[in-house]
Amino acid sequence: MSQSLSRREWLLTEQPGSRRQARLGQFYRTWLALRSNPLAMVGLGIIVALILVALFANVIAPYDPLVGGDLRTERLLPPSSTHWFGTDDQARDIFSRVIHGSRLTLMIVALVAVIATPIGLLIGTTAGYFGGWVDTVLMRITDIVLAFPRLILALAFVAALGPGIENAIIAIAITSWPPYARLARAETLTIRNTDFIAASKLQGASSARIIWGHVVPLCMPSVIVRVTLDMAGIILTAAGLGFLGLGAQPPSPEWGAMVASGRRFLIDQWWVATMPGIAIFVVSLGFNLLGDGLRDVLDPKGEK
């Protein structure tokens, strides 16, 4: 007990003895603030569950997600103890397909975040730091992309690249970076004339080092909040592309494609489209709840 208390005091001290202690203390304070938000913890629990389900899909899923059973006796069965979410028109277990579909959803979210976030940060911080014609050109390009609805622009890119999960990820990433660029530019404008930036210039630091070493880290909290809140939109866009047949192709267990294949049976066999639809709803809700909690904790302009 005393050891735990001393570690807590070490993390919460107002006079850290090292940079590592200061960073760990800041992370711990952020965690304490996030933990005090029940809805944010619900969202975090949903996302952690999604990650665990994706990692252990082969263990959790009782049936093969791609191979169906006997079409004469196991087609379009309602939910039961044998098939928890029922079966689809190909006699495949919907629960197993939803479980394996979490892998595709997590992969899409992760790859889009990894691709779009650095692009938005680079464009936004560069525009805000240099200003002038650089700012004008980069922000007008950003405004052009923002002028189109995300799903419509993603449809155009997928139509040009061809249907498939890889092209869908590229299309969603291309349409997702402008909000991060606008946010990073706004943050950069507030700090580019500060004393520590001027001191870095006097020490001979290059513009690239100042941007990536000083400006980007200060923009990260706001960008992380925006990325987390955008995850629900990314999931819905991916599901929309799958619903239209431009995302993951059959027989991949992608949730949007599963909803599309089940819409023909919505009246009599409601479970075929409803179960993957509920999965989309729950995961999107989880990211929204966590994003709201992170905004309250990390946004320096927000209410604490």
Short mmCIF file of all heavy atoms in Angstrom, two decimals, residues 43-111:
data_model
loop_
_atom_site.label_atom_id
_atom_site.label_comp_id
_atom_site.label_asym_id
_atom_site.label_seq_id
_atom_site.Cartn_x
_atom_site.Cartn_y
_atom_site.Cartn_z
N GLY A 43 -16.93 4.17 -23.69
CA GLY A 43 -16.37 4.18 -25.03
C GLY A 43 -15.03 3.46 -25.10
O GLY A 43 -14.77 2.69 -26.03
N LEU A 44 -14.18 3.69 -24.10
CA LEU A 44 -12.89 3.00 -24.05
C LEU A 44 -13.09 1.49 -23.93
O LEU A 44 -12.38 0.70 -24.58
CB LEU A 44 -12.06 3.52 -22.88
CG LEU A 44 -10.68 2.88 -22.69
CD1 LEU A 44 -9.80 3.13 -23.91
CD2 LEU A 44 -10.01 3.43 -21.43
N GLY A 45 -14.07 1.07 -23.12
CA GLY A 45 -14.35 -0.34 -22.98
C GLY A 45 -14.80 -0.97 -24.30
O GLY A 45 -14.39 -2.10 -24.63
N ILE A 46 -15.63 -0.25 -25.06
CA ILE A 46 -16.09 -0.76 -26.36
C ILE A 46 -14.90 -0.93 -27.32
O ILE A 46 -14.79 -1.95 -28.01
CB ILE A 46 -17.15 0.18 -26.96
CG1 ILE A 46 -18.43 0.14 -26.11
CG2 ILE A 46 -17.46 -0.20 -28.41
CD1 ILE A 46 -19.47 1.15 -26.55
N ILE A 47 -14.01 0.06 -27.32
CA ILE A 47 -12.86 -0.02 -28.25
C ILE A 47 -11.90 -1.11 -27.83
O ILE A 47 -11.36 -1.84 -28.68
CB ILE A 47 -12.16 1.36 -28.30
CG1 ILE A 47 -13.11 2.39 -28.90
CG2 ILE A 47 -10.89 1.28 -29.13
CD1 ILE A 47 -12.63 3.80 -28.80
N VAL A 48 -11.65 -1.25 -26.53
CA VAL A 48 -10.79 -2.33 -26.05
C VAL A 48 -11.41 -3.69 -26.40
O VAL A 48 -10.71 -4.62 -26.83
CB VAL A 48 -10.56 -2.21 -24.54
CG1 VAL A 48 -9.87 -3.46 -23.99
CG2 VAL A 48 -9.72 -0.98 -24.23
N ALA A 49 -12.73 -3.79 -26.25
CA ALA A 49 -13.42 -5.04 -26.62
C ALA A 49 -13.27 -5.31 -28.11
O ALA A 49 -13.06 -6.47 -28.53
CB ALA A 49 -14.89 -4.96 -26.23
N LEU A 50 -13.38 -4.26 -28.94
CA LEU A 50 -13.20 -4.42 -30.39
C LEU A 50 -11.81 -4.95 -30.70
O LEU A 50 -11.65 -5.87 -31.53
CB LEU A 50 -13.43 -3.08 -31.09
CG LEU A 50 -13.08 -3.03 -32.59
CD1 LEU A 50 -14.06 -3.89 -33.38
CD2 LEU A 50 -13.08 -1.59 -33.10
N ILE A 51 -10.80 -4.40 -30.04
CA ILE A 51 -9.42 -4.84 -30.29
C ILE A 51 -9.24 -6.30 -29.87
O ILE A 51 -8.63 -7.10 -30.60
CB ILE A 51 -8.43 -3.92 -29.54
CG1 ILE A 51 -8.51 -2.50 -30.11
CG2 ILE A 51 -7.01 -4.46 -29.65
CD1 ILE A 51 -7.70 -1.49 -29.32
N LEU A 52 -9.76 -6.65 -28.70
CA LEU A 52 -9.62 -8.03 -28.23
C LEU A 52 -10.36 -9.01 -29.14
O LEU A 52 -9.86 -10.11 -29.43
CB LEU A 52 -10.15 -8.14 -26.80
CG LEU A 52 -9.33 -7.40 -25.73
CD1 LEU A 52 -10.01 -7.52 -24.37
CD2 LEU A 52 -7.91 -7.93 -25.67
N VAL A 53 -11.56 -8.63 -29.57
CA VAL A 53 -12.33 -9.49 -30.47
C VAL A 53 -11.58 -9.68 -31.79
O VAL A 53 -11.53 -10.79 -32.34
CB VAL A 53 -13.72 -8.89 -30.71
CG1 VAL A 53 -14.41 -9.59 -31.89
CG2 VAL A 53 -14.59 -9.03 -29.47
N ALA A 54 -10.99 -8.59 -32.30
CA ALA A 54 -10.24 -8.70 -33.55
C ALA A 54 -9.01 -9.59 -33.39
O ALA A 54 -8.67 -10.38 -34.28
CB ALA A 54 -9.84 -7.31 -34.03
N LEU A 55 -8.33 -9.49 -32.25
CA LEU A 55 -7.13 -10.28 -32.03
C LEU A 55 -7.45 -11.76 -31.87
O LEU A 55 -6.70 -12.63 -32.36
CB LEU A 55 -6.39 -9.78 -30.78
CG LEU A 55 -5.69 -8.41 -30.90
CD1 LEU A 55 -5.11 -8.00 -29.56
CD2 LEU A 55 -4.59 -8.47 -31.96
N PHE A 56 -8.55 -12.06 -31.20
CA PHE A 56 -8.88 -13.46 -30.90
C PHE A 56 -10.10 -13.93 -31.68
O PHE A 56 -10.87 -14.78 -31.20
CB PHE A 56 -9.12 -13.62 -29.40
CG PHE A 56 -7.94 -13.25 -28.56
CD1 PHE A 56 -7.89 -12.04 -27.88
CD2 PHE A 56 -6.85 -14.11 -28.45
CE1 PHE A 56 -6.80 -11.69 -27.11
CE2 PHE A 56 -5.76 -13.78 -27.67
CZ PHE A 56 -5.72 -12.57 -27.00
N ALA A 57 -10.29 -13.40 -32.89
CA ALA A 57 -11.46 -13.76 -33.69
C ALA A 57 -11.49 -15.25 -34.00
O ALA A 57 -12.55 -15.87 -33.98
CB ALA A 57 -11.47 -12.95 -34.99
N ASN A 58 -10.33 -15.83 -34.27
CA ASN A 58 -10.30 -17.26 -34.59
C ASN A 58 -10.73 -18.12 -33.41
O ASN A 58 -11.24 -19.23 -33.61
CB ASN A 58 -8.89 -17.66 -35.04
CG ASN A 58 -8.52 -17.06 -36.39
OD1 ASN A 58 -9.39 -16.81 -37.22
ND2 ASN A 58 -7.24 -16.79 -36.60
N VAL A 59 -10.50 -17.63 -32.20
CA VAL A 59 -10.87 -18.38 -31.00
C VAL A 59 -12.34 -18.17 -30.66
O VAL A 59 -13.04 -19.10 -30.25
CB VAL A 59 -9.98 -17.97 -29.81
CG1 VAL A 59 -10.37 -18.73 -28.55
CG2 VAL A 59 -8.51 -18.23 -30.14
N ILE A 60 -12.81 -16.94 -30.83
CA ILE A 60 -14.17 -16.60 -30.43
C ILE A 60 -15.21 -17.14 -31.41
O ILE A 60 -16.24 -17.67 -31.02
CB ILE A 60 -14.32 -15.07 -30.27
CG1 ILE A 60 -13.36 -14.55 -29.19
CG2 ILE A 60 -15.74 -14.69 -29.94
CD1 ILE A 60 -13.31 -13.04 -29.09
N ALA A 61 -14.93 -16.98 -32.71
CA ALA A 61 -15.90 -17.37 -33.72
C ALA A 61 -16.07 -18.89 -33.76
O ALA A 61 -15.08 -19.62 -33.92
CB ALA A 61 -15.47 -16.87 -35.09
N PRO A 62 -17.29 -19.39 -33.63
CA PRO A 62 -17.49 -20.86 -33.61
C PRO A 62 -17.50 -21.50 -35.00
O PRO A 62 -17.35 -22.72 -35.11
CB PRO A 62 -18.86 -21.00 -32.95
CG PRO A 62 -19.57 -19.73 -33.28
CD PRO A 62 -18.52 -18.66 -33.33
N TYR A 63 -17.67 -20.70 -36.06
CA TYR A 63 -17.76 -21.26 -37.41
C TYR A 63 -16.83 -20.50 -38.35
O TYR A 63 -16.36 -19.40 -38.04
CB TYR A 63 -19.20 -21.18 -37.94
CG TYR A 63 -20.21 -21.95 -37.13
CD1 TYR A 63 -20.97 -21.30 -36.15
CD2 TYR A 63 -20.42 -23.31 -37.33
CE1 TYR A 63 -21.90 -22.00 -35.40
CE2 TYR A 63 -21.36 -24.01 -36.59
CZ TYR A 63 -22.09 -23.35 -35.63
OH TYR A 63 -23.02 -24.04 -34.88
N ASP A 64 -16.60 -21.06 -39.50
CA ASP A 64 -15.83 -20.40 -40.54
C ASP A 64 -16.66 -19.25 -41.11
O ASP A 64 -17.83 -19.45 -41.48
CB ASP A 64 -15.48 -21.40 -41.65
CG ASP A 64 -14.47 -20.84 -42.64
OD1 ASP A 64 -14.70 -19.74 -43.17
OD2 ASP A 64 -13.45 -21.51 -42.88
N PRO A 65 -16.10 -18.03 -41.18
CA PRO A 65 -16.90 -16.90 -41.66
C PRO A 65 -17.16 -16.91 -43.16
O PRO A 65 -18.04 -16.18 -43.63
CB PRO A 65 -16.05 -15.69 -41.26
CG PRO A 65 -14.65 -16.22 -41.28
CD PRO A 65 -14.74 -17.63 -40.79
N LEU A 66 -16.41 -17.70 -43.90
CA LEU A 66 -16.53 -17.68 -45.36
C LEU A 66 -17.27 -18.89 -45.91
O LEU A 66 -17.82 -18.84 -47.02
CB LEU A 66 -15.14 -17.61 -46.00
CG LEU A 66 -14.25 -16.44 -45.57
CD1 LEU A 66 -12.91 -16.50 -46.29
CD2 LEU A 66 -14.94 -15.11 -45.82
N VAL A 67 -17.28 -19.99 -45.18
CA VAL A 67 -17.87 -21.23 -45.65
C VAL A 67 -19.21 -21.45 -44.94
O VAL A 67 -19.29 -21.43 -43.71
CB VAL A 67 -16.93 -22.43 -45.40
CG1 VAL A 67 -17.59 -23.73 -45.89
CG2 VAL A 67 -15.60 -22.21 -46.09
N GLY A 68 -20.27 -21.65 -45.71
CA GLY A 68 -21.58 -21.86 -45.15
C GLY A 68 -21.90 -23.33 -44.92
O GLY A 68 -21.12 -24.23 -45.28
N GLY A 69 -23.04 -23.56 -44.33
CA GLY A 69 -23.48 -24.92 -44.06
C GLY A 69 -24.35 -25.45 -45.19
O GLY A 69 -24.22 -25.03 -46.35
N ASP A 70 -25.24 -26.33 -44.85
CA ASP A 70 -26.15 -26.95 -45.81
C ASP A 70 -27.23 -25.95 -46.22
O ASP A 70 -28.02 -25.49 -45.37
CB ASP A 70 -26.78 -28.20 -45.20
CG ASP A 70 -27.52 -29.03 -46.23
OD1 ASP A 70 -27.86 -28.49 -47.30
OD2 ASP A 70 -27.76 -30.22 -45.96
N LEU A 71 -27.26 -25.58 -47.49
CA LEU A 71 -28.23 -24.59 -47.95
C LEU A 71 -29.67 -25.08 -47.82
O LEU A 71 -30.61 -24.28 -47.76
CB LEU A 71 -27.94 -24.22 -49.41
CG LEU A 71 -26.65 -23.43 -49.67
CD1 LEU A 71 -26.46 -23.23 -51.17
CD2 LEU A 71 -26.71 -22.09 -48.96
N ARG A 72 -29.88 -26.38 -47.75
CA ARG A 72 -31.23 -26.91 -47.66
C ARG A 72 -31.81 -26.81 -46.26
O ARG A 72 -33.02 -26.66 -46.09
CB ARG A 72 -31.24 -28.38 -48.11
CG ARG A 72 -30.90 -28.57 -49.58
CD ARG A 72 -30.70 -30.04 -49.91
NE ARG A 72 -29.57 -30.60 -49.15
CZ ARG A 72 -29.19 -31.88 -49.23
NH1 ARG A 72 -29.85 -32.72 -50.00
NH2 ARG A 72 -28.16 -32.30 -48.52
N THR A 73 -30.94 -26.88 -45.25
CA THR A 73 -31.45 -26.93 -43.87
C THR A 73 -30.94 -25.79 -42.98
O THR A 73 -31.50 -25.55 -41.91
CB THR A 73 -31.05 -28.26 -43.22
OG1 THR A 73 -29.61 -28.38 -43.22
CG2 THR A 73 -31.66 -29.42 -43.98
N GLU A 74 -29.86 -25.06 -43.38
CA GLU A 74 -29.24 -24.07 -42.51
C GLU A 74 -29.28 -22.66 -43.09
O GLU A 74 -28.63 -21.76 -42.58
CB GLU A 74 -27.79 -24.47 -42.22
CG GLU A 74 -27.66 -25.80 -41.50
CD GLU A 74 -26.22 -26.16 -41.19
OE1 GLU A 74 -25.31 -25.39 -41.60
OE2 GLU A 74 -25.98 -27.21 -40.56
N ARG A 75 -30.04 -22.45 -44.11
CA ARG A 75 -30.11 -21.14 -44.74
C ARG A 75 -31.14 -20.26 -44.05
O ARG A 75 -32.27 -20.68 -43.79
CB ARG A 75 -30.46 -21.31 -46.22
CG ARG A 75 -30.52 -20.01 -47.02
CD ARG A 75 -30.77 -20.32 -48.49
NE ARG A 75 -30.86 -19.11 -49.28
CZ ARG A 75 -31.99 -18.45 -49.53
NH1 ARG A 75 -33.14 -18.93 -49.04
NH2 ARG A 75 -31.99 -17.35 -50.26
N LEU A 76 -30.72 -19.01 -43.72
CA LEU A 76 -31.61 -18.01 -43.13
C LEU A 76 -32.29 -18.51 -41.85
O LEU A 76 -33.47 -18.28 -41.62
CB LEU A 76 -32.67 -17.56 -44.14
CG LEU A 76 -32.15 -16.84 -45.39
CD1 LEU A 76 -33.28 -16.57 -46.36
CD2 LEU A 76 -31.45 -15.55 -45.01
N LEU A 77 -31.50 -19.16 -41.00
CA LEU A 77 -32.02 -19.60 -39.71
C LEU A 77 -32.06 -18.42 -38.74
O LEU A 77 -31.16 -17.58 -38.73
CB LEU A 77 -31.14 -20.71 -39.13
CG LEU A 77 -31.12 -22.04 -39.90
CD1 LEU A 77 -30.17 -23.01 -39.21
CD2 LEU A 77 -32.52 -22.62 -39.98
N PRO A 78 -33.08 -18.32 -37.88
CA PRO A 78 -33.15 -17.21 -36.91
C PRO A 78 -32.13 -17.42 -35.79
O PRO A 78 -31.56 -18.51 -35.64
CB PRO A 78 -34.59 -17.32 -36.38
CG PRO A 78 -34.94 -18.76 -36.55
CD PRO A 78 -34.25 -19.21 -37.80
N PRO A 79 -31.89 -16.39 -35.00
CA PRO A 79 -30.96 -16.53 -33.87
C PRO A 79 -31.39 -17.64 -32.92
O PRO A 79 -32.57 -17.78 -32.59
CB PRO A 79 -31.03 -15.16 -33.19
CG PRO A 79 -31.45 -14.22 -34.27
CD PRO A 79 -32.37 -15.00 -35.16
N SER A 80 -30.40 -18.43 -32.50
CA SER A 80 -30.68 -19.57 -31.61
C SER A 80 -29.41 -19.88 -30.84
O SER A 80 -28.38 -19.20 -30.97
CB SER A 80 -31.12 -20.79 -32.43
OG SER A 80 -30.07 -21.22 -33.28
N SER A 81 -29.48 -20.92 -30.00
CA SER A 81 -28.31 -21.32 -29.24
C SER A 81 -27.21 -21.88 -30.12
O SER A 81 -26.03 -21.87 -29.76
CB SER A 81 -28.71 -22.37 -28.18
OG SER A 81 -29.29 -23.50 -28.80
N THR A 82 -27.57 -22.38 -31.28
CA THR A 82 -26.58 -22.91 -32.23
C THR A 82 -25.94 -21.80 -33.04
O THR A 82 -24.72 -21.77 -33.23
CB THR A 82 -27.24 -23.94 -33.17
OG1 THR A 82 -27.88 -24.95 -32.41
CG2 THR A 82 -26.20 -24.56 -34.09
N HIS A 83 -26.76 -20.89 -33.54
CA HIS A 83 -26.28 -19.72 -34.29
C HIS A 83 -26.82 -18.47 -33.58
O HIS A 83 -27.99 -18.12 -33.75
CB HIS A 83 -26.77 -19.78 -35.74
CG HIS A 83 -26.31 -20.99 -36.49
ND1 HIS A 83 -25.04 -21.10 -37.01
CD2 HIS A 83 -26.96 -22.15 -36.79
CE1 HIS A 83 -24.92 -22.28 -37.62
NE2 HIS A 83 -26.06 -22.94 -37.49
N TRP A 84 -25.97 -17.84 -32.77
CA TRP A 84 -26.42 -16.75 -31.90
C TRP A 84 -27.05 -15.60 -32.68
O TRP A 84 -28.02 -15.00 -32.22
CB TRP A 84 -25.25 -16.23 -31.08
CG TRP A 84 -24.77 -17.21 -30.06
CD1 TRP A 84 -25.31 -18.43 -29.78
CD2 TRP A 84 -23.66 -17.06 -29.16
NE1 TRP A 84 -24.63 -19.06 -28.77
CE2 TRP A 84 -23.59 -18.23 -28.37
CE3 TRP A 84 -22.72 -16.07 -28.96
CZ2 TRP A 84 -22.63 -18.43 -27.39
CZ3 TRP A 84 -21.73 -16.24 -27.99
CH2 TRP A 84 -21.71 -17.41 -27.21
N PHE A 85 -26.50 -15.27 -33.85
CA PHE A 85 -27.03 -14.17 -34.66
C PHE A 85 -27.78 -14.68 -35.88
O PHE A 85 -28.12 -13.90 -36.76
CB PHE A 85 -25.90 -13.24 -35.11
CG PHE A 85 -25.29 -12.41 -34.01
CD1 PHE A 85 -24.22 -11.57 -34.27
CD2 PHE A 85 -25.79 -12.45 -32.72
CE1 PHE A 85 -23.65 -10.81 -33.25
CE2 PHE A 85 -25.24 -11.70 -31.70
CZ PHE A 85 -24.15 -10.87 -31.96
N GLY A 86 -28.03 -15.98 -35.96
CA GLY A 86 -28.70 -16.55 -37.11
C GLY A 86 -27.72 -16.83 -38.24
O GLY A 86 -26.51 -16.72 -38.09
N THR A 87 -28.27 -17.21 -39.39
CA THR A 87 -27.45 -17.47 -40.58
C THR A 87 -27.95 -16.62 -41.74
O THR A 87 -29.09 -16.14 -41.74
CB THR A 87 -27.51 -18.95 -40.98
OG1 THR A 87 -28.86 -19.32 -41.28
CG2 THR A 87 -26.99 -19.84 -39.86
N ASP A 88 -27.08 -16.43 -42.74
CA ASP A 88 -27.46 -15.61 -43.89
C ASP A 88 -27.95 -16.48 -45.04
O ASP A 88 -28.20 -17.68 -44.87
CB ASP A 88 -26.29 -14.72 -44.32
CG ASP A 88 -25.08 -15.53 -44.76
OD1 ASP A 88 -25.19 -16.76 -44.89
OD2 ASP A 88 -24.01 -14.92 -44.97
N ASP A 89 -28.07 -15.88 -46.23
CA ASP A 89 -28.63 -16.60 -47.36
C ASP A 89 -27.69 -17.66 -47.90
O ASP A 89 -28.11 -18.50 -48.71
CB ASP A 89 -29.01 -15.61 -48.47
CG ASP A 89 -27.82 -14.80 -48.94
OD1 ASP A 89 -26.99 -14.42 -48.09
OD2 ASP A 89 -27.71 -14.53 -50.15
N GLN A 90 -26.43 -17.64 -47.49
CA GLN A 90 -25.47 -18.67 -47.89
C GLN A 90 -25.22 -19.68 -46.76
O GLN A 90 -24.23 -20.40 -46.79
CB GLN A 90 -24.16 -18.02 -48.31
CG GLN A 90 -24.26 -17.07 -49.49
CD GLN A 90 -24.75 -17.77 -50.74
OE1 GLN A 90 -24.32 -18.88 -51.03
NE2 GLN A 90 -25.64 -17.12 -51.48
N ALA A 91 -26.09 -19.67 -45.75
CA ALA A 91 -26.00 -20.58 -44.60
C ALA A 91 -24.72 -20.35 -43.79
O ALA A 91 -24.24 -21.27 -43.13
CB ALA A 91 -26.10 -22.04 -45.05
N ARG A 92 -24.19 -19.12 -43.81
CA ARG A 92 -23.01 -18.80 -43.01
C ARG A 92 -23.44 -18.21 -41.68
O ARG A 92 -24.42 -17.46 -41.60
CB ARG A 92 -22.11 -17.81 -43.77
CG ARG A 92 -21.52 -18.38 -45.05
CD ARG A 92 -20.81 -17.33 -45.87
NE ARG A 92 -21.71 -16.28 -46.30
CZ ARG A 92 -21.42 -15.41 -47.29
NH1 ARG A 92 -20.28 -15.51 -47.94
NH2 ARG A 92 -22.29 -14.48 -47.63
N ASP A 93 -22.70 -18.51 -40.65
CA ASP A 93 -23.02 -18.03 -39.31
C ASP A 93 -22.74 -16.54 -39.22
O ASP A 93 -21.59 -16.10 -39.40
CB ASP A 93 -22.18 -18.80 -38.28
CG ASP A 93 -22.50 -18.38 -36.86
OD1 ASP A 93 -23.63 -18.62 -36.40
OD2 ASP A 93 -21.60 -17.79 -36.21
N ILE A 94 -23.76 -15.74 -38.92
CA ILE A 94 -23.61 -14.29 -38.91
C ILE A 94 -22.74 -13.84 -37.74
O ILE A 94 -21.94 -12.90 -37.87
CB ILE A 94 -24.99 -13.62 -38.86
CG1 ILE A 94 -25.77 -13.95 -40.13
CG2 ILE A 94 -24.85 -12.10 -38.71
CD1 ILE A 94 -27.19 -13.39 -40.15
N PHE A 95 -22.84 -14.50 -36.59
CA PHE A 95 -22.01 -14.14 -35.45
C PHE A 95 -20.53 -14.27 -35.80
O PHE A 95 -19.72 -13.38 -35.49
CB PHE A 95 -22.36 -15.02 -34.25
CG PHE A 95 -21.49 -14.79 -33.05
CD1 PHE A 95 -21.64 -13.66 -32.26
CD2 PHE A 95 -20.50 -15.70 -32.70
CE1 PHE A 95 -20.83 -13.43 -31.16
CE2 PHE A 95 -19.69 -15.50 -31.60
CZ PHE A 95 -19.85 -14.36 -30.83
N SER A 96 -20.15 -15.35 -36.44
CA SER A 96 -18.75 -15.55 -36.83
C SER A 96 -18.32 -14.49 -37.84
O SER A 96 -17.18 -13.99 -37.78
CB SER A 96 -18.56 -16.95 -37.43
OG SER A 96 -18.88 -17.95 -36.49
N ARG A 97 -19.20 -14.12 -38.74
CA ARG A 97 -18.85 -13.11 -39.74
C ARG A 97 -18.72 -11.73 -39.10
O ARG A 97 -17.85 -10.94 -39.48
CB ARG A 97 -19.90 -13.09 -40.86
CG ARG A 97 -19.82 -14.32 -41.74
CD ARG A 97 -20.88 -14.31 -42.83
NE ARG A 97 -20.79 -13.17 -43.73
CZ ARG A 97 -19.92 -13.07 -44.72
NH1 ARG A 97 -19.03 -14.03 -44.93
NH2 ARG A 97 -19.93 -12.01 -45.52
N VAL A 98 -19.58 -11.42 -38.13
CA VAL A 98 -19.45 -10.14 -37.42
C VAL A 98 -18.15 -10.10 -36.63
O VAL A 98 -17.44 -9.08 -36.62
CB VAL A 98 -20.67 -9.93 -36.49
CG1 VAL A 98 -20.42 -8.74 -35.56
CG2 VAL A 98 -21.93 -9.69 -37.31
N ILE A 99 -17.79 -11.20 -35.99
CA ILE A 99 -16.55 -11.26 -35.22
C ILE A 99 -15.35 -11.03 -36.13
O ILE A 99 -14.46 -10.22 -35.83
CB ILE A 99 -16.43 -12.60 -34.49
CG1 ILE A 99 -17.49 -12.72 -33.39
CG2 ILE A 99 -15.04 -12.77 -33.88
CD1 ILE A 99 -17.38 -11.69 -32.30
N HIS A 100 -15.29 -11.72 -37.24
CA HIS A 100 -14.17 -11.55 -38.16
C HIS A 100 -14.23 -10.20 -38.87
O HIS A 100 -13.18 -9.67 -39.27
CB HIS A 100 -14.15 -12.69 -39.18
CG HIS A 100 -13.57 -13.96 -38.65
ND1 HIS A 100 -12.22 -14.26 -38.72
CD2 HIS A 100 -14.15 -15.02 -38.03
CE1 HIS A 100 -12.00 -15.45 -38.17
NE2 HIS A 100 -13.15 -15.93 -37.73
N GLY A 101 -15.43 -9.65 -39.02
CA GLY A 101 -15.54 -8.33 -39.62
C GLY A 101 -14.92 -7.24 -38.77
O GLY A 101 -14.54 -6.18 -39.28
N SER A 102 -14.80 -7.49 -37.45
CA SER A 102 -14.14 -6.51 -36.58
C SER A 102 -12.68 -6.30 -36.98
O SER A 102 -12.14 -5.22 -36.80
CB SER A 102 -14.23 -6.97 -35.12
OG SER A 102 -13.52 -8.18 -34.93
N ARG A 103 -12.05 -7.33 -37.53
CA ARG A 103 -10.67 -7.19 -37.99
C ARG A 103 -10.58 -6.20 -39.15
O ARG A 103 -9.69 -5.34 -39.18
CB ARG A 103 -10.11 -8.54 -38.43
CG ARG A 103 -9.80 -9.49 -37.28
CD ARG A 103 -9.18 -10.78 -37.79
NE ARG A 103 -8.66 -11.58 -36.68
CZ ARG A 103 -8.07 -12.75 -36.82
NH1 ARG A 103 -7.91 -13.26 -38.04
NH2 ARG A 103 -7.62 -13.42 -35.76
N LEU A 104 -11.51 -6.32 -40.10
CA LEU A 104 -11.51 -5.40 -41.23
C LEU A 104 -11.79 -3.97 -40.76
O LEU A 104 -11.14 -3.02 -41.21
CB LEU A 104 -12.57 -5.83 -42.25
CG LEU A 104 -12.24 -7.05 -43.11
CD1 LEU A 104 -13.44 -7.41 -43.97
CD2 LEU A 104 -11.03 -6.79 -43.97
N THR A 105 -12.74 -3.82 -39.84
CA THR A 105 -13.06 -2.49 -39.33
C THR A 105 -11.87 -1.87 -38.63
O THR A 105 -11.52 -0.70 -38.86
CB THR A 105 -14.26 -2.57 -38.37
OG1 THR A 105 -15.39 -3.08 -39.07
CG2 THR A 105 -14.58 -1.20 -37.79
N LEU A 106 -11.21 -2.64 -37.77
CA LEU A 106 -10.05 -2.13 -37.04
C LEU A 106 -8.91 -1.81 -38.00
O LEU A 106 -8.21 -0.80 -37.82
CB LEU A 106 -9.61 -3.16 -36.01
CG LEU A 106 -8.60 -2.68 -34.95
CD1 LEU A 106 -9.20 -1.56 -34.12
CD2 LEU A 106 -8.19 -3.84 -34.05
N MET A 107 -8.71 -2.63 -39.01
CA MET A 107 -7.66 -2.37 -39.99
C MET A 107 -7.93 -1.08 -40.76
O MET A 107 -7.02 -0.26 -40.97
CB MET A 107 -7.56 -3.54 -40.96
CG MET A 107 -6.47 -3.37 -42.01
SD MET A 107 -6.46 -4.69 -43.24
CE MET A 107 -7.99 -4.34 -44.13
N ILE A 108 -9.18 -0.88 -41.17
CA ILE A 108 -9.53 0.33 -41.91
C ILE A 108 -9.29 1.57 -41.06
O ILE A 108 -8.67 2.55 -41.49
CB ILE A 108 -11.00 0.27 -42.38
CG1 ILE A 108 -11.17 -0.83 -43.44
CG2 ILE A 108 -11.45 1.61 -42.93
CD1 ILE A 108 -12.61 -1.11 -43.80
N VAL A 109 -9.77 1.53 -39.82
CA VAL A 109 -9.61 2.68 -38.92
C VAL A 109 -8.13 2.98 -38.67
O VAL A 109 -7.70 4.14 -38.74
CB VAL A 109 -10.35 2.41 -37.59
CG1 VAL A 109 -9.94 3.41 -36.54
CG2 VAL A 109 -11.85 2.45 -37.80
N ALA A 110 -7.35 1.94 -38.39
CA ALA A 110 -5.93 2.15 -38.08
C ALA A 110 -5.17 2.68 -39.28
O ALA A 110 -4.39 3.64 -39.16
CB ALA A 110 -5.32 0.84 -37.59
N LEU A 111 -5.39 2.09 -40.45
CA LEU A 111 -4.64 2.52 -41.63
C LEU A 111 -5.02 3.93 -42.07
O LEU A 111 -4.16 4.72 -42.47
CB LEU A 111 -4.86 1.52 -42.78
CG LEU A 111 -4.19 0.15 -42.60
CD1 LEU A 111 -4.51 -0.75 -43.78
CD2 LEU A 111 -2.69 0.30 -42.45
#
